[in-house]
Amino acid sequence: MPFGSYWQREEIMPLNQLEELRVKRLRWVVRRAYDNVPFYRKKMREMGITPHDIRRIDDVVKLPFTTKDDLRANYPFGLVAVDKSELVRIHMSSGTSGKPKVVAYTERDLENWINMVARCLYMIGVRKEDVFQNLVSYTLFTGGLGFHYAAERIGAMVVPTGTGNTEKQLQYMVDFGTTAIHATPSYALRIKEVAEEKGIDTQNLPLRIGCFGAEPWSDNTRKRLEEAFDLKAFDSYGLSEMNGPGVAFECEEQNGLHIWHDHYLVEIVDPETGEQLGEGEKGELVLTPLTKEAMPLLRYRTGDITYLMGFDRCSCGRTHPKIHRIIGRADDMIVVRGINVYPSQIEHVLMNLPEVGDHFQVVITRNGSLDEITVRVEMRDEIFTGELRDFSRIRNNVMRALQKELNIRVNVDLVEKGTLERFEGKAKRVLDLRKEL
Ligand code: DLL
């Protein structure tokens, strides 16, 4: 049930009350992990601590970190803190290598999760009158069911199309009068492309809200999506290990993502040393879920790079502090001649250039001891005249723009529209050939 213009009262909880609640919950979750998960009991004993040592929020630094490898090593249910009969659902996290990460939920976990995602949707204006088309996969991926139940809870009419069959998706948008969509930004770009090919005027659809996430995307991509569909596009962040989507989300301001501090304890640490960093300092996001019954993870290393944006009250009235949009993943960072580059920076530059289409690929190779980046870029059909000198001019423009932003020289290959792979879920835009050399 909504609470005024908020979904839940907790969203505007005064900071001192929020703090009190967080301490209580932190102590609860540490106790739960210690008593019920042998992995944590062992780790904490080795470190010479017990749940009694955790009395204040700052004490979180005494706790051990949990990594993705810990989840894999305990596949499938080694970190579960309840009897298997208490579990009502599992999801799995997409990974490229090794065993997948299984995450498990009790009934109460699901209830909390639905309300967290509902908070996000309500925050950006989704209401019971809306038609919500959910264009992400409904499988083990958390994005499908995570948004589905939350939009239903608000009372919106959900159109559970999932991914694929893009032309039909567009037809449904027209036929059902879809007002809000959820997709990965790369799939949204693909939908835009199919609409262009089929001559469907996406600007005249009744769409007004777009939720995009599950992968990095830049502000310039946002501009393209907002223009193409004539909607307001919001960044949605989450990860399976923290239930799924609904961890952090932009509000109407579109300036940073509120992260639900009553459910997650947020730290930013130096990815190398693990030392806590302060407000405004870029580092790895570390999260401790404060209400999870089934899998009470402690200090989970997300691998995602961001920073805390400060504790000023937002104009939307929510008291939950914000994080900056995810800058990249620690393991996606490319180091070229000593300079750190994230693929999302490349995306940001490209999406600002009118001659560049919506699709690109970053290829990393090694030349002797030096890493090199080649960016393969699809050109916009209407820009390319077929003249060689135009081709060189565009190529030089793209190279210059990238060099200005990244401070390194990258190679640019212009390719014809339709050359590069399209994605319906998370895009794979980086091709790392160094490992094969
Ligand atoms: O991607 C959950 C989700 C579903 C989020 C739908 C948003 C929308 P995983 O498959 O476990 O879960 O992948 C989590 O994706 O650690 C980030 O690296 C990346 N990621 C998720 N959202 C964003 C975002 C879902 N808004 C991993 N910006 C995370 C950048 C994101 N990266």
Side-chain angles (χ1 to χ4, degrees), residues 68 92-95 101 103 113 136 140-144 146-147 182-185 211-217 234-249 257 285 300-305 325-332 426:
K68 291 178 196 300
M92 258 194 235
S93 177
S94 43
K101 291 161 276 167
V103 291
W113 183 27
V136 299
L140 288 161
F141 175 57
T142 52
F147 271 85
H182 171 224
T184 60
C211 316
F212 302 113
E215 62 181 356
W217 57 299
F234 296 93
D235 192 6
S236 148
Y237 171 76
L239 61 158
S240 318
E241 300 86 318
M242 301 294 129
N243 292 308
V247 174
F249 220 94
L257 290 80
L285 180 66
Y300 187 70
R301 306 276 302 241
T302 66
D304 295 322
I305 305 293
R325 303 186 68 186
I326 302 298
I327 296 159
R329 293 190 49 79
D331 46 15
D332 269 359
K426 297 178 192 245

Side-chain angles (χ1 to χ4, degrees), residues 84-102:
K84 210 169 153 197
S85 63
E86 297 301 314
L87 301 179
V88 294
R89 190 182 316 153
I90 61 161
H91 278 288
M92 258 194 235
S93 177
S94 43
T96 42
S97 59
K99 279 193 182 144
K101 291 161 276 167
V102 171

Side-chain angles (χ1 to χ4, degrees), residues 398-416:
V398 179
M399 270 168 81
R400 261 200 306 275
L402 285 168
Q403 181 157 18
K404 192 159 163 239
E405 166 78 17
L406 309 175
N407 288 321
I408 45 161
R409 228 182 101 82
V410 298
N411 308 313
V412 171
D413 275 353
L414 297 182
V415 298
E416 245 181 278

Side-chain angles (χ1 to χ4, degrees), residues 83-206:
D83 189 80
K84 210 169 153 197
S85 63
E86 297 301 314
L87 301 179
V88 294
R89 190 182 316 153
I90 61 161
H91 278 288
M92 258 194 235
S93 177
S94 43
T96 42
S97 59
K99 279 193 182 144
K101 291 161 276 167
V102 171
V103 291
Y105 307 75
T106 63
E107 204 177 333
R108 202 169 123 208
D109 290 337
L110 285 188
E111 189 58 22
N112 280 332
W113 183 27
I114 290 171
N115 278 313
M116 274 185 265
V117 182
R119 276 185 195 181
C120 301
L121 291 176
Y122 207 76
M123 175 161 76
I124 58 170
V126 175
R127 295 291 182 270
K128 74 184 291 302
E129 294 74 21
D130 278 297
V131 178
F132 184 87
Q133 195 162 328
N134 200 14
L135 300 115
V136 299
S137 157
Y138 268 73
T139 54
L140 288 161
F141 175 57
T142 52
L145 293 179
F147 271 85
H148 180 99
Y149 286 114
E152 266 188 13
R153 181 66 61 92
I154 289 176
M157 185 178 101
V158 180
V159 186
T161 45
T163 54
N165 222 336
T166 308
E167 206 181 328
K168 272 228 173 88
Q169 299 267 16
L170 280 156
Q171 192 56 49
Y172 293 148
M173 286 186 202
V174 176
D175 296 348
F176 305 147
T178 301
T179 54
I181 52 171
H182 171 224
T184 60
S186 17
Y187 190 39
L189 289 171
R190 173 67 186 148
I191 298 169
K192 166 177 176 279
E193 181 175 53
V194 172
E196 281 162 7
E197 282 163 14
K198 302 289 166 195
I200 298 170
D201 179 5
T202 43
Q203 286 190 325
N204 276 326
L205 292 170

